Structure formats: C-alpha cells, structure tokens
Amino acid sequence: MKIDAVSIFPDYFKVLELSLLGKAQESGLITFTAHDLRNWTHDRHKTVDDSPYGGGAGMVMKPEPWGEAFDDLLEIETSPVVIFTTPAGIPFTQALAQELSESEHIVFACGRYEGIDQRVVDHVGTMARVLEVSIGDYVLNGGEVAALAMIEAIARLIPGVIGNKESLAEESHNDGLLEYPSFTKPKVWRELEVPEVLLSGHHAEIEKWRKQQQLDRTKTNRPDLLEL
Ligand code: ADE
C-alpha cells in the first residue's frame, strides 16, 4: 500500500519508522511519504493560510498549495482515496479501517487552523474518492495525530504487517463488542488473584466467561454499542 501525508509539520510522521509499521516499510508492504505542504507555495514566506471570507476567528488554509499538492500526488491508475482529517468528518471506525486496508493508495490531507478551503475537498472529489474523517468528538490542534491514528489502525490490517492473525480476530470492535480482560503470570499479584476459571483448563467454560466479560464491559463502558 502506498500512503502519502501532506502537512505543514511532516516531522510528526517520524514515529512511523518505529515498531511494526517501521518493519512493514522496510519489507515494502507499505510505502509511506510525508510531504511538506509549504513545498507547493511560491511566495517568500511560504504562506499556507489566510483570513476567512465571511469573517470569524482564526485562519483558513489557502486552496492553491493544496491544489498543486494533489496535482502532483494523485495518480488515477492507483484509484487513490483522499482522507481529509477534520473533527467535522464521518467517524473513523474499525469497519472503515478494514475497508481502507484494501486500498492501493491513500493520501492524508492534514488541515490546521480552522480547516482547509472547502473548494479543495470538492475539487479533489472530481479526481479521487474523498472522505472527510474524524477520529472522535474532540478537537486536536491539527490533523497529524488523527492521520497517525488512522494509518496505524489501517496498516496493521494489511496481510503480513502483524504476525499473529488470531490476535486481530479477538480484539475489541471486531464483533461489535469490547475485548475481554486479560491476565498473565504470576497467579497472585499484590494479593489479587487471576480468575479461577482461567486456570481450570476448561475451554468451554473459559469461552463462556470471556463472552460474559465482553458483554459486561461493553454494557458498562460503551452501552451505545449494544443499542441497535
Ligand atoms: N483535526 C482536529 N481534530 C480532529 C479530529 N477529532 N479528527 C480528525 N481530525 C482532526
């Protein structure tokens, strides 16, 4: 999979060299490039923002550098998906991560300030599949951290990026429920014991207990997931 990210702070993406995603890049499963939006400016100050039409607080990202960035980065042959990170987007979910993990090419456009001139989103929509996506109901200073979260969630679903397929199957959000709690050695730690059933070796009982834990946890932490 080819992944590009456009940002005025491309250094944010250095963490992608670490751990499993770093290995996935080394092995060629993922080709990731962070681009500095200011490379597509032409004035001495490398200006990327301006005041909003209609008034209001803050600055808006100018369309011209973004337009040139997409002219350079989008190749129709790879059916690119362009993701604009914004708190005003559709929610990022495991299902969306799963779907996007099958893409050939994803471009993340990381806005700052009050966002990007909306014409950029509309214009890019004529050249590629465009999604405005939010990682949650809170506001970050910019889209870089949101893009990083999405890249990690998507990339780990690409076959070969994670060694153990079962660990993907059993985690939270895969079956609409949160994951059951986990325990490891020692059997007693600070007078706290591991639940007896997990030591029993009785697989059917363990499975039953885990399912109940999933339901209890989901009911407590995320009741919204149980409402249909
Ligand atoms: N940019 C700022 N806040 C964001 C959020 N919650 N999701 C995606 N992009 C953002």
Side-chain angles (χ1 to χ4, degrees):
M1 178 189 288
K2 190 171 156 192
I3 303 174
D4 290 291
V6 184
S7 157
I8 56 169
F9 295 118
D11 284 354
Y12 260 96
F13 295 93
K14 284 193 172 157
V15 293
L16 293 178
E17 288 162 21
L18 304 174
S19 189
L20 288 175
L21 294 203
K23 288 208 185 80
Q25 288 190 73
E26 277 169 29
S27 71
L29 284 168
I30 301 167
T31 310
F32 175 78
T33 316
H35 306 268
D36 188 343
L37 178 69
R38 294 192 201 274
N39 290 340
W40 286 284
T41 59
H42 302 290
D43 63 312
R44 203 154 50 90
H45 300 292
K46 300 184 181 290
T47 312
V48 293
D49 61 339
D50 208 334
S51 52
Y53 274 123
M59 299 290 267
V60 176
M61 294 191 104
K62 293 161 64 60
E64 300 95 323
W66 284 108
E68 289 191 32
F70 286 116
D71 288 344
D72 284 351
L73 297 177
L74 297 182
E75 294 148 23
I76 301 312
E77 309 81 65
T78 60
S79 312
V81 182
V82 178
I83 297 182
F84 288 88
T85 56
T86 164
I90 59 168
F92 187 67
T93 59
Q94 190 64 24
L96 185 52
Q98 187 68 55
E99 185 198 328
L100 290 167
S101 72
E102 283 152 37
S103 313
E104 203 175 325
H105 184 196
I106 304 177
V107 182
F108 286 89
C110 304
R112 285 249 148 194
Y113 315 114
E114 295 308 305
I116 304 171
D117 187 305
Q118 190 62 33
R119 289 170 295 180
V120 176
V121 181
D122 300 341
H123 173 66
V124 176
T126 65
M127 307 195 271
R129 179 175 173 217
V130 165
L131 297 170
E132 293 176 284
V133 184
S134 166
I135 61 160
D137 294 341
Y138 42 80
V139 179
L140 303 165
N141 283 337
E144 289 77 10
V145 168
L148 281 168
M150 289 189 245
I151 290 167
E152 182 159 315
I154 294 164
R156 64 195 292 284
L157 299 174
I158 297 171
V161 171
I162 287 201
N164 186 354
K165 272 197 200 141
E166 280 90 61
S167 69
L168 286 179
E170 288 203 359
E171 61 198 10
S172 294
H173 301 295
N174 232 339
D175 54 4
L177 294 175
L178 303 183
E179 197 179 4
Y180 51 77
S182 304
F183 301 85
T184 185
K185 292 185 232 15
K187 217 186 275 184
V188 181
W189 174 73
R190 298 194 178 186
E191 296 179 19
L192 298 168
E193 289 176 20
V194 170
E196 193 67 42
V197 62
L198 298 180
L199 312 173
S200 69
H202 195 308
H203 292 295
E205 284 300 313
I206 291 171
E207 208 162 299
K208 206 169 111 195
W209 181 84
R210 284 181 166 165
K211 190 80 196 176
Q212 192 56 49
Q213 290 289 316
Q214 282 194 282
L215 285 165
D216 293 349
R217 226 182 193 187
T218 308
K219 202 168 154 198
T220 305
N221 293 348
R222 292 293 305 278
D224 56 300
L225 294 178
L226 295 172
E227 287 159 15
L228 283 180

